[in-house]
Amino acid sequence: MTQSRFFSSRSATRSSADSFSRGLVGYAFAAAATLTLAGLLVFFWAPQDADQGMRQKIFYLHVPLSIAALCGFIAGGVMAIQYLRTRDSSWDLRSYVAIHLSLIFGVAALITGAIWAKTAWGVWWEWKEPTLVSFLIVFLLYAVYQPMRFAIDDPERQARSAAVYAIICGAFVPLNFMAVRLATSLVHPRVLGGAGEMPAEMRVSFYTSLIGMGLLWMALWKFELTAKSVSMRLGKLRAELIS
Amino acid sequence: MNESKETPGLFAAAGAILRKDLRLELRTMETLTTAAIFTVATFVVFHFAFDRYEMSGDIAAGVFWVTVLFAAVLAINRLLSNERAQGGYEALLLAPIDRNAILFAKFAFLFVTLTLLEIFALLAFALLLLGPALSTEMLPLAPVLLLANIGIAAIGTLISALATDTNARELLVPLMSLPLLTPLLIGAARASTPLMSLVPHTEHLDRWLGLMALYDSVFALLAFAVFEYVIED
């Protein structure tokens, strides 16, 4: 198994695989139920946007995706701190999977963002929207996480450098948002206004999809962790069998 | 500084490494000359790219800071690679000193290099492209350069230490540096725009200096907190 080359084999125990998979099915069902409910609310209950109509519905997908990705990035940084403190390689695996998964969410957020920008403003990209620009910079930074990680041969050193990088990036996220917000002309109207400006039906639908997206992130995170640790354990057992 | 005869204190050790690096640089002029040539070459490229004989305002600030940023990436690339190539890195790790001495020394060396480089780059820029002549009205550029250098040096030292363990160093340093240095570039370029306009003046200078100062302090503290983990053997 290729994974076993990258992560210290200490995390490849039966107990870690079990602890990773705990609650996986629950999260998966909760995510499916909440997202289904959110879909129903978004299309049949939330009012149509006065300007954008049906096209505004992508907001309920795009914003939760971005928030889940950003929270996942930050969570990856916190798990990296935990790794440096405990040197337990399962935390390294958690941090890696969190950042990996958030990158995938990030790609989806950028694509849905571009589609929304095209339908709402007629352009695929809008530099005047600081949230979008900040998100791109953060995404570019995290996109280097994997190339950096896998350019290191020694698994211990790989885990340590990746943890330090994850912590640096985690601290970068809020500062970057602040800097880009300052740099964007304050005259430009904020498109993604606070949730308080939305009618109650929109707000409830939005929070439902946000919770659903968070649950989906958790379910996928647990799934990937379980899959990785099981395949590592399999590799280890296979190696034992051969030797 | 020396509490015991065997192990030098943190600052004594950092000072020794810094003196070694500065002496090496003075004798070879490896980083400074290459970075200086790079800045002039970049100005020439920008002249043709924009087809301009002189620049002012936001274009001037942008061209100047992008050039400095790329030259800084060159310097960051070299910061620990020389140690690595000559086996000095292992010697530094073996030395009975606080590991943070390496951070302080490399930070200070990068800071000094960047400052000298920017003085040269600013003079070359004024000579080649900058519209308004250098004047005392541009003195507020000094704190902008100072704050930019602190941030670039802190982030650069961290990145250089992170990248030195990898087998794709030259590729990873710019990829990691550019997003991380973007907020500093925003602050520096926005603060420099009015200073490089045809009638140099200050506008929102405190806002941009504040942003850079905040960014610098966060990353200086962060570098201090995590550096020992990066260079652990």
Short mmCIF file of all heavy atoms in Angstrom, two decimals, chain A residues 84 87 137 140-141 144 147-148 150-153 157 160-162 164-165 167-169 171-172 175-176 178-180 182-184 186, chain B residues 84 93 158 162 165-168 172 175-176 179-183 186 190 207-208 211 214-215 218-219 222 226 228-233:
data_model
loop_
_atom_site.label_atom_id
_atom_site.label_comp_id
_atom_site.label_asym_id
_atom_site.label_seq_id
_atom_site.Cartn_x
_atom_site.Cartn_y
_atom_site.Cartn_z
N LEU A 84 2.22 17.80 17.21
CA LEU A 84 3.53 18.23 17.71
C LEU A 84 3.60 18.06 19.22
O LEU A 84 4.67 17.81 19.78
CB LEU A 84 3.78 19.69 17.33
CG LEU A 84 4.07 19.96 15.85
CD1 LEU A 84 4.38 21.43 15.64
CD2 LEU A 84 5.23 19.10 15.36
N ARG A 87 3.08 13.80 19.54
CA ARG A 87 3.85 12.94 18.64
C ARG A 87 3.13 11.64 18.34
O ARG A 87 3.75 10.62 18.06
CB ARG A 87 5.25 12.65 19.21
CG ARG A 87 6.11 13.88 19.33
CD ARG A 87 6.18 14.57 17.99
NE ARG A 87 6.72 15.92 18.12
CZ ARG A 87 7.96 16.24 17.84
NH1 ARG A 87 8.78 15.34 17.38
NH2 ARG A 87 8.39 17.46 17.97
N ILE A 137 -6.39 32.82 -2.36
CA ILE A 137 -5.02 32.87 -1.82
C ILE A 137 -4.83 31.73 -0.82
O ILE A 137 -3.82 31.01 -0.85
CB ILE A 137 -4.75 34.23 -1.16
CG1 ILE A 137 -4.91 35.37 -2.17
CG2 ILE A 137 -3.35 34.27 -0.56
CD1 ILE A 137 -4.83 36.75 -1.58
N LEU A 140 -4.51 28.49 -2.66
CA LEU A 140 -3.19 28.33 -3.29
C LEU A 140 -2.15 27.90 -2.26
O LEU A 140 -1.27 27.08 -2.54
CB LEU A 140 -2.76 29.64 -3.95
CG LEU A 140 -3.48 30.00 -5.23
CD1 LEU A 140 -3.09 31.38 -5.69
CD2 LEU A 140 -3.14 28.98 -6.31
N LEU A 141 -2.26 28.47 -1.05
CA LEU A 141 -1.31 28.13 0.00
C LEU A 141 -1.46 26.66 0.40
O LEU A 141 -0.47 25.93 0.51
CB LEU A 141 -1.53 29.04 1.20
CG LEU A 141 -0.49 28.94 2.30
CD1 LEU A 141 0.86 29.40 1.77
CD2 LEU A 141 -0.89 29.79 3.49
N VAL A 144 -0.13 23.71 -1.74
CA VAL A 144 1.28 23.33 -1.68
C VAL A 144 1.51 22.32 -0.56
O VAL A 144 2.58 21.72 -0.47
CB VAL A 144 2.17 24.58 -1.49
CG1 VAL A 144 3.63 24.26 -1.72
CG2 VAL A 144 1.76 25.68 -2.45
N PRO A 147 2.33 18.67 -2.14
CA PRO A 147 3.65 18.60 -2.77
C PRO A 147 4.79 18.73 -1.76
O PRO A 147 5.79 18.03 -1.86
CB PRO A 147 3.65 19.78 -3.74
CG PRO A 147 2.24 20.12 -3.96
CD PRO A 147 1.45 19.64 -2.79
N MET A 148 4.60 19.63 -0.77
CA MET A 148 5.64 19.82 0.25
C MET A 148 5.81 18.54 1.05
O MET A 148 6.90 18.05 1.25
CB MET A 148 5.22 20.97 1.15
CG MET A 148 6.31 21.61 1.95
SD MET A 148 6.60 20.88 3.54
CE MET A 148 5.05 21.01 4.33
N PHE A 150 5.00 15.41 0.39
CA PHE A 150 5.50 14.21 -0.27
C PHE A 150 6.85 14.43 -0.95
O PHE A 150 7.37 13.53 -1.60
CB PHE A 150 4.45 13.67 -1.23
CG PHE A 150 3.23 13.21 -0.48
CD1 PHE A 150 1.97 13.67 -0.82
CD2 PHE A 150 3.35 12.36 0.59
CE1 PHE A 150 0.85 13.28 -0.09
CE2 PHE A 150 2.25 11.96 1.32
CZ PHE A 150 1.00 12.42 0.97
N ALA A 151 7.44 15.62 -0.78
CA ALA A 151 8.81 15.84 -1.23
C ALA A 151 9.80 15.51 -0.11
O ALA A 151 10.99 15.73 -0.26
CB ALA A 151 9.00 17.28 -1.71
N ILE A 152 9.28 15.01 1.02
CA ILE A 152 10.14 14.62 2.13
C ILE A 152 10.08 13.10 2.26
O ILE A 152 8.99 12.53 2.26
CB ILE A 152 9.68 15.29 3.43
CG1 ILE A 152 9.68 16.80 3.28
CG2 ILE A 152 10.57 14.88 4.60
CD1 ILE A 152 9.07 17.55 4.42
N ASP A 153 11.23 12.46 2.36
CA ASP A 153 11.24 11.00 2.35
C ASP A 153 10.98 10.40 3.73
O ASP A 153 10.20 9.49 3.87
CB ASP A 153 12.59 10.50 1.82
CG ASP A 153 12.81 10.95 0.39
OD1 ASP A 153 11.81 10.98 -0.36
OD2 ASP A 153 13.94 11.30 0.02
N ARG A 157 9.96 13.11 9.74
CA ARG A 157 10.24 14.48 9.34
C ARG A 157 9.09 15.04 8.50
O ARG A 157 8.73 16.20 8.60
CB ARG A 157 11.54 14.49 8.55
CG ARG A 157 11.94 15.82 8.05
CD ARG A 157 13.41 15.83 7.73
NE ARG A 157 14.20 15.94 8.94
CZ ARG A 157 15.53 15.99 8.95
NH1 ARG A 157 16.19 15.92 7.83
NH2 ARG A 157 16.18 16.11 10.08
N ARG A 160 6.37 16.09 10.79
CA ARG A 160 6.72 17.30 11.52
C ARG A 160 6.63 18.54 10.62
O ARG A 160 6.03 19.54 10.99
CB ARG A 160 8.14 17.15 12.06
CG ARG A 160 8.26 17.63 13.47
CD ARG A 160 9.53 17.20 14.11
NE ARG A 160 10.28 16.45 13.27
CZ ARG A 160 11.53 16.53 12.77
NH1 ARG A 160 12.16 17.22 12.98
NH2 ARG A 160 12.19 15.84 12.01
N SER A 161 7.24 18.45 9.44
CA SER A 161 7.21 19.61 8.54
C SER A 161 5.77 19.92 8.12
O SER A 161 5.38 21.09 8.07
CB SER A 161 8.04 19.33 7.29
OG SER A 161 9.41 19.30 7.64
N ALA A 162 5.00 18.88 7.82
CA ALA A 162 3.61 19.09 7.41
C ALA A 162 2.84 19.75 8.55
O ALA A 162 2.01 20.65 8.31
CB ALA A 162 2.96 17.77 7.02
N VAL A 164 4.04 21.72 10.94
CA VAL A 164 4.45 23.12 11.06
C VAL A 164 3.80 23.94 9.94
O VAL A 164 3.27 25.03 10.18
CB VAL A 164 6.00 23.23 10.99
CG1 VAL A 164 6.42 24.68 10.81
CG2 VAL A 164 6.61 22.67 12.26
N TYR A 165 3.79 23.39 8.73
CA TYR A 165 3.18 24.11 7.62
C TYR A 165 1.68 24.32 7.86
O TYR A 165 1.15 25.40 7.62
CB TYR A 165 3.41 23.34 6.31
CG TYR A 165 3.05 24.12 5.08
CD1 TYR A 165 3.78 25.24 4.72
CD2 TYR A 165 1.97 23.75 4.28
CE1 TYR A 165 3.46 25.97 3.60
CE2 TYR A 165 1.64 24.48 3.14
CZ TYR A 165 2.39 25.59 2.81
OH TYR A 165 2.07 26.32 1.70
N ILE A 167 0.20 24.59 10.69
CA ILE A 167 0.01 25.61 11.73
C ILE A 167 0.22 27.00 11.15
O ILE A 167 -0.57 27.91 11.40
CB ILE A 167 0.98 25.35 12.91
CG1 ILE A 167 0.61 24.03 13.61
CG2 ILE A 167 0.93 26.50 13.90
CD1 ILE A 167 1.64 23.56 14.59
N ILE A 168 1.28 27.16 10.35
CA ILE A 168 1.54 28.47 9.72
C ILE A 168 0.32 28.88 8.88
O ILE A 168 -0.17 30.00 8.96
CB ILE A 168 2.79 28.40 8.82
CG1 ILE A 168 4.03 28.09 9.64
CG2 ILE A 168 2.98 29.70 8.06
CD1 ILE A 168 5.26 27.85 8.79
N CYS A 169 -0.17 27.94 8.07
CA CYS A 169 -1.31 28.25 7.18
C CYS A 169 -2.55 28.57 8.01
O CYS A 169 -3.32 29.46 7.64
CB CYS A 169 -1.59 27.08 6.25
SG CYS A 169 -0.23 26.70 5.17
N ALA A 171 -2.73 29.99 10.90
CA ALA A 171 -2.63 31.35 11.41
C ALA A 171 -2.80 32.36 10.28
O ALA A 171 -3.27 33.48 10.49
CB ALA A 171 -1.27 31.56 12.08
N PHE A 172 -2.42 31.94 9.07
CA PHE A 172 -2.47 32.84 7.91
C PHE A 172 -3.92 33.15 7.51
O PHE A 172 -4.22 34.28 7.10
CB PHE A 172 -1.73 32.17 6.75
CG PHE A 172 -1.83 32.90 5.45
CD1 PHE A 172 -1.03 33.99 5.19
CD2 PHE A 172 -2.73 32.47 4.48
CE1 PHE A 172 -1.12 34.65 3.99
CE2 PHE A 172 -2.82 33.13 3.27
CZ PHE A 172 -2.01 34.22 3.02
N LEU A 175 -5.65 36.31 9.09
CA LEU A 175 -4.89 37.53 8.77
C LEU A 175 -5.05 37.90 7.30
O LEU A 175 -5.17 39.07 6.94
CB LEU A 175 -3.40 37.31 9.07
CG LEU A 175 -3.01 37.37 10.53
CD1 LEU A 175 -1.57 36.94 10.70
CD2 LEU A 175 -3.20 38.77 11.07
N ASN A 176 -5.05 36.85 6.45
CA ASN A 176 -5.18 37.08 5.03
C ASN A 176 -6.55 37.67 4.69
O ASN A 176 -6.67 38.60 3.90
CB ASN A 176 -4.96 35.75 4.31
CG ASN A 176 -5.19 35.86 2.84
OD1 ASN A 176 -4.52 36.64 2.18
ND2 ASN A 176 -6.14 35.11 2.32
N MET A 178 -8.32 39.48 6.60
CA MET A 178 -8.30 40.87 7.03
C MET A 178 -7.58 41.76 6.02
O MET A 178 -8.07 42.83 5.65
CB MET A 178 -7.60 40.94 8.38
CG MET A 178 -8.00 42.09 9.21
SD MET A 178 -6.99 42.10 10.69
CE MET A 178 -5.54 42.86 10.07
N ALA A 179 -6.41 41.30 5.57
CA ALA A 179 -5.60 42.11 4.66
C ALA A 179 -6.33 42.34 3.34
O ALA A 179 -6.36 43.46 2.83
CB ALA A 179 -4.26 41.43 4.42
N VAL A 180 -6.94 41.29 2.80
CA VAL A 180 -7.62 41.43 1.50
C VAL A 180 -8.85 42.31 1.66
O VAL A 180 -9.16 43.13 0.78
CB VAL A 180 -7.96 40.05 0.91
CG1 VAL A 180 -8.75 40.20 -0.37
CG2 VAL A 180 -6.70 39.26 0.65
N LEU A 182 -9.18 44.77 3.73
CA LEU A 182 -8.69 46.15 3.80
C LEU A 182 -8.33 46.66 2.41
O LEU A 182 -8.53 47.82 2.09
CB LEU A 182 -7.44 46.22 4.67
CG LEU A 182 -7.61 46.48 6.16
CD1 LEU A 182 -6.25 46.51 6.83
CD2 LEU A 182 -8.33 47.79 6.39
N ALA A 183 -7.76 45.75 1.58
CA ALA A 183 -7.26 46.17 0.28
C ALA A 183 -8.40 46.42 -0.71
O ALA A 183 -8.23 47.16 -1.66
CB ALA A 183 -6.31 45.12 -0.28
N THR A 184 -9.54 45.76 -0.49
CA THR A 184 -10.64 45.93 -1.42
C THR A 184 -11.37 47.22 -1.08
O THR A 184 -11.63 47.50 0.08
CB THR A 184 -11.61 44.75 -1.31
OG1 THR A 184 -10.84 43.56 -1.28
CG2 THR A 184 -12.54 44.70 -2.49
N LEU A 186 -13.69 49.86 -0.01
CA LEU A 186 -14.83 49.72 0.90
C LEU A 186 -16.11 50.25 0.27
O LEU A 186 -17.20 50.08 0.80
CB LEU A 186 -14.54 50.46 2.21
CG LEU A 186 -13.30 49.93 2.94
CD1 LEU A 186 -12.93 50.84 4.10
CD2 LEU A 186 -13.52 48.52 3.44
N ARG B 84 23.43 23.60 3.82
CA ARG B 84 23.11 22.22 3.51
C ARG B 84 24.17 21.61 2.59
O ARG B 84 24.63 20.50 2.80
CB ARG B 84 21.74 22.21 2.80
CG ARG B 84 21.04 20.92 2.85
CD ARG B 84 20.29 20.79 4.14
NE ARG B 84 19.84 19.43 4.30
CZ ARG B 84 19.09 19.01 5.29
NH1 ARG B 84 18.71 19.85 6.22
NH2 ARG B 84 18.72 17.77 5.38
N LEU B 93 23.41 21.83 13.84
CA LEU B 93 22.50 21.02 14.66
C LEU B 93 23.27 20.31 15.77
O LEU B 93 22.73 20.07 16.85
CB LEU B 93 21.77 19.98 13.80
CG LEU B 93 20.80 20.54 12.76
CD1 LEU B 93 20.06 19.40 12.07
CD2 LEU B 93 19.80 21.49 13.39
N LEU B 158 11.44 30.60 8.18
CA LEU B 158 10.61 29.41 8.39
C LEU B 158 10.52 28.56 7.13
O LEU B 158 10.72 27.35 7.15
CB LEU B 158 9.20 29.85 8.77
CG LEU B 158 8.81 29.86 10.23
CD1 LEU B 158 7.35 30.25 10.35
CD2 LEU B 158 9.05 28.50 10.85
N LEU B 162 11.76 24.82 6.30
CA LEU B 162 10.81 23.78 5.89
C LEU B 162 11.24 23.14 4.58
O LEU B 162 11.19 21.92 4.41
CB LEU B 162 9.42 24.38 5.69
CG LEU B 162 8.45 24.42 6.85
CD1 LEU B 162 7.16 25.09 6.41
CD2 LEU B 162 8.17 23.03 7.36
N ASP B 165 14.42 20.44 3.92
CA ASP B 165 14.29 18.99 4.11
C ASP B 165 13.71 18.29 2.89
O ASP B 165 13.73 17.07 2.81
CB ASP B 165 13.38 18.69 5.29
CG ASP B 165 14.12 18.85 6.60
OD1 ASP B 165 15.35 18.70 6.56
OD2 ASP B 165 13.48 19.10 7.62
N THR B 166 13.16 19.04 1.96
CA THR B 166 12.46 18.42 0.84
C THR B 166 13.41 18.23 -0.33
O THR B 166 14.50 18.82 -0.36
CB THR B 166 11.28 19.28 0.37
OG1 THR B 166 11.82 20.45 -0.23
CG2 THR B 166 10.39 19.67 1.52
N ASN B 167 12.98 17.43 -1.30
CA ASN B 167 13.83 17.27 -2.47
C ASN B 167 13.30 18.07 -3.66
O ASN B 167 13.59 17.77 -4.80
CB ASN B 167 13.99 15.79 -2.83
CG ASN B 167 12.66 15.06 -2.78
OD1 ASN B 167 11.63 15.65 -3.12
ND2 ASN B 167 12.67 13.82 -2.35
N ALA B 168 12.51 19.11 -3.35
CA ALA B 168 12.02 19.98 -4.43
C ALA B 168 12.11 21.43 -3.96
O ALA B 168 11.20 22.22 -4.15
CB ALA B 168 10.60 19.63 -4.81
N LEU B 172 9.45 24.60 -4.26
CA LEU B 172 8.51 24.79 -3.16
C LEU B 172 8.64 26.18 -2.52
O LEU B 172 7.65 26.74 -2.07
CB LEU B 172 8.71 23.71 -2.10
CG LEU B 172 8.23 22.33 -2.53
CD1 LEU B 172 8.60 21.29 -1.50
CD2 LEU B 172 6.71 22.35 -2.72
N LEU B 175 6.45 28.69 -4.21
CA LEU B 175 5.04 28.30 -4.06
C LEU B 175 4.53 28.57 -2.65
O LEU B 175 3.38 28.95 -2.46
CB LEU B 175 4.86 26.82 -4.40
CG LEU B 175 4.84 26.46 -5.87
CD1 LEU B 175 4.65 24.97 -6.06
CD2 LEU B 175 3.72 27.21 -6.58
N MET B 176 5.39 28.35 -1.65
CA MET B 176 4.97 28.61 -0.28
C MET B 176 5.06 30.09 0.05
O MET B 176 4.23 30.63 0.78
CB MET B 176 5.84 27.81 0.70
CG MET B 176 5.66 26.31 0.61
SD MET B 176 6.35 25.48 2.05
CE MET B 176 8.04 25.23 1.54
N PRO B 179 1.96 33.09 -1.59
CA PRO B 179 0.71 33.34 -0.85
C PRO B 179 0.96 33.89 0.55
O PRO B 179 0.28 34.82 0.98
CB PRO B 179 0.06 31.95 -0.76
CG PRO B 179 0.70 31.13 -1.81
CD PRO B 179 2.08 31.68 -1.99
N LEU B 180 1.99 33.36 1.24
CA LEU B 180 2.24 33.81 2.61
C LEU B 180 2.68 35.27 2.65
O LEU B 180 2.45 35.96 3.64
CB LEU B 180 3.31 32.94 3.27
CG LEU B 180 2.84 31.61 3.85
CD1 LEU B 180 4.02 30.82 4.38
CD2 LEU B 180 1.84 31.85 4.97
N LEU B 181 3.35 35.74 1.59
CA LEU B 181 3.82 37.12 1.60
C LEU B 181 2.80 38.09 0.99
O LEU B 181 3.01 39.30 1.01
CB LEU B 181 5.16 37.23 0.85
CG LEU B 181 6.34 36.48 1.50
CD1 LEU B 181 7.58 36.59 0.65
CD2 LEU B 181 6.61 37.02 2.89
N THR B 182 1.69 37.55 0.44
CA THR B 182 0.71 38.42 -0.21
C THR B 182 0.18 39.53 0.71
O THR B 182 0.14 40.69 0.30
CB THR B 182 -0.45 37.58 -0.78
OG1 THR B 182 0.10 36.67 -1.72
CG2 THR B 182 -1.47 38.45 -1.48
N PRO B 183 -0.23 39.21 1.97
CA PRO B 183 -0.70 40.31 2.82
C PRO B 183 0.35 41.39 3.03
O PRO B 183 0.02 42.58 3.08
CB PRO B 183 -1.04 39.61 4.14
CG PRO B 183 -1.38 38.23 3.75
CD PRO B 183 -0.44 37.90 2.63
N ILE B 186 0.40 43.46 -0.07
CA ILE B 186 -0.75 44.38 -0.07
C ILE B 186 -0.41 45.63 0.74
O ILE B 186 -0.54 46.76 0.25
CB ILE B 186 -2.00 43.69 0.52
CG1 ILE B 186 -2.48 42.56 -0.39
CG2 ILE B 186 -3.13 44.71 0.75
CD1 ILE B 186 -3.62 41.73 0.21
N ARG B 190 0.31 49.18 -1.17
CA ARG B 190 -0.69 50.23 -0.94
C ARG B 190 -0.10 51.43 -0.21
O ARG B 190 -0.46 52.57 -0.48
CB ARG B 190 -1.87 49.68 -0.15
CG ARG B 190 -2.65 48.61 -0.88
CD ARG B 190 -3.26 49.16 -2.16
NE ARG B 190 -3.71 48.07 -3.00
CZ ARG B 190 -4.98 47.69 -3.10
NH1 ARG B 190 -5.91 48.33 -2.44
NH2 ARG B 190 -5.30 46.69 -3.88
N ARG B 207 -2.83 52.90 8.39
CA ARG B 207 -3.60 51.67 8.23
C ARG B 207 -2.71 50.53 7.71
O ARG B 207 -2.70 49.42 8.24
CB ARG B 207 -4.75 51.90 7.26
CG ARG B 207 -5.60 50.67 7.05
CD ARG B 207 -6.28 50.70 5.71
NE ARG B 207 -7.51 51.49 5.72
CZ ARG B 207 -8.33 51.56 4.68
NH1 ARG B 207 -8.06 50.89 3.58
NH2 ARG B 207 -9.41 52.30 4.72
N TRP B 208 -1.92 50.85 6.66
CA TRP B 208 -1.09 49.80 6.05
C TRP B 208 0.07 49.42 6.95
O TRP B 208 0.42 48.23 7.04
CB TRP B 208 -0.61 50.25 4.67
CG TRP B 208 -1.76 50.57 3.77
CD1 TRP B 208 -2.05 51.77 3.20
CD2 TRP B 208 -2.83 49.68 3.38
NE1 TRP B 208 -3.21 51.68 2.47
CE2 TRP B 208 -3.71 50.42 2.56
CE3 TRP B 208 -3.10 48.35 3.64
CZ2 TRP B 208 -4.85 49.87 2.01
CZ3 TRP B 208 -4.25 47.79 3.09
CH2 TRP B 208 -5.11 48.55 2.29
N LEU B 211 -1.36 47.15 9.56
CA LEU B 211 -1.57 45.79 9.03
C LEU B 211 -0.26 45.01 8.99
O LEU B 211 -0.17 43.87 9.43
CB LEU B 211 -2.17 45.89 7.62
CG LEU B 211 -2.23 44.57 6.85
CD1 LEU B 211 -3.28 43.65 7.45
CD2 LEU B 211 -2.51 44.81 5.38
N LEU B 214 0.99 44.11 12.48
CA LEU B 214 0.24 42.98 13.04
C LEU B 214 0.71 41.66 12.43
O LEU B 214 0.99 40.68 13.13
CB LEU B 214 -1.26 43.18 12.79
CG LEU B 214 -2.15 42.02 13.21
CD1 LEU B 214 -2.24 41.96 14.72
CD2 LEU B 214 -3.55 42.14 12.63
N TYR B 215 0.84 41.67 11.11
CA TYR B 215 1.26 40.47 10.39
C TYR B 215 2.65 40.04 10.85
O TYR B 215 2.91 38.87 11.10
CB TYR B 215 1.25 40.77 8.89
CG TYR B 215 1.20 39.54 8.03
CD1 TYR B 215 0.04 38.81 7.92
CD2 TYR B 215 2.32 39.11 7.32
CE1 TYR B 215 -0.01 37.67 7.13
CE2 TYR B 215 2.27 37.99 6.53
CZ TYR B 215 1.10 37.27 6.45
OH TYR B 215 1.06 36.14 5.67
N VAL B 218 2.59 38.51 14.44
CA VAL B 218 2.04 37.15 14.48
C VAL B 218 3.06 36.15 13.95
O VAL B 218 3.34 35.12 14.57
CB VAL B 218 0.72 37.07 13.67
CG1 VAL B 218 0.29 35.62 13.51
CG2 VAL B 218 -0.37 37.87 14.37
N PHE B 219 3.68 36.47 12.80
CA PHE B 219 4.57 35.49 12.19
C PHE B 219 5.92 35.41 12.90
O PHE B 219 6.55 34.34 12.91
CB PHE B 219 4.71 35.71 10.69
CG PHE B 219 3.61 35.05 9.96
CD1 PHE B 219 2.44 35.72 9.64
CD2 PHE B 219 3.68 33.70 9.64
CE1 PHE B 219 1.39 35.09 9.01
CE2 PHE B 219 2.63 33.06 9.00
CZ PHE B 219 1.49 33.76 8.69
N LEU B 222 5.11 33.19 15.75
CA LEU B 222 4.87 31.84 15.22
C LEU B 222 6.19 31.17 14.86
O LEU B 222 6.42 30.00 15.18
CB LEU B 222 3.98 31.96 13.99
CG LEU B 222 3.21 30.72 13.59
CD1 LEU B 222 2.28 30.31 14.72
CD2 LEU B 222 2.40 30.99 12.34
N VAL B 226 7.47 27.61 16.47
CA VAL B 226 7.53 26.33 15.74
C VAL B 226 8.90 26.00 15.18
O VAL B 226 9.11 24.88 14.71
CB VAL B 226 6.49 26.27 14.59
CG1 VAL B 226 5.08 26.39 15.12
CG2 VAL B 226 6.77 27.33 13.54
N GLU B 228 11.80 25.22 16.34
CA GLU B 228 12.54 24.06 16.86
C GLU B 228 12.01 22.75 16.28
O GLU B 228 12.75 21.79 16.14
CB GLU B 228 12.48 24.03 18.38
CG GLU B 228 11.07 24.01 18.91
CD GLU B 228 11.04 23.85 20.44
OE1 GLU B 228 11.69 22.94 20.93
OE2 GLU B 228 10.35 24.66 21.09
N TYR B 229 10.71 22.72 15.92
CA TYR B 229 10.15 21.49 15.35
C TYR B 229 10.62 21.27 13.93
O TYR B 229 10.72 20.14 13.46
CB TYR B 229 8.62 21.54 15.36
CG TYR B 229 8.04 21.58 16.74
CD1 TYR B 229 7.45 22.73 17.23
CD2 TYR B 229 8.10 20.47 17.57
CE1 TYR B 229 6.93 22.79 18.51
CE2 TYR B 229 7.58 20.50 18.84
CZ TYR B 229 7.00 21.66 19.31
OH TYR B 229 6.49 21.71 20.56
N VAL B 230 10.89 22.38 13.22
CA VAL B 230 11.28 22.24 11.81
C VAL B 230 12.68 21.67 11.70
O VAL B 230 12.97 20.89 10.79
CB VAL B 230 11.24 23.61 11.09
CG1 VAL B 230 11.33 23.41 9.60
CG2 VAL B 230 10.00 24.37 11.45
N ILE B 231 13.58 22.10 12.60
CA ILE B 231 14.98 21.70 12.40
C ILE B 231 15.41 20.57 13.33
O ILE B 231 16.55 20.18 13.34
CB ILE B 231 15.93 22.90 12.58
CG1 ILE B 231 15.68 23.55 13.94
CG2 ILE B 231 15.78 23.91 11.48
CD1 ILE B 231 16.84 24.38 14.35
N GLU B 232 14.45 20.04 14.07
CA GLU B 232 14.73 18.87 14.90
C GLU B 232 15.33 17.77 14.02
O GLU B 232 14.90 17.59 12.89
CB GLU B 232 13.39 18.40 15.45
CG GLU B 232 13.44 17.59 16.69
CD GLU B 232 12.02 17.32 17.14
OE1 GLU B 232 11.41 16.43 16.54
OE2 GLU B 232 11.51 18.03 18.03
N ASP B 233 16.31 17.05 14.56
CA ASP B 233 16.91 16.04 13.66
C ASP B 233 16.32 14.65 13.88
O ASP B 233 15.60 14.42 14.81
CB ASP B 233 18.43 15.98 13.81
CG ASP B 233 18.87 16.26 15.22
OD1 ASP B 233 17.98 16.25 16.10
OD2 ASP B 233 20.05 16.50 15.46
#
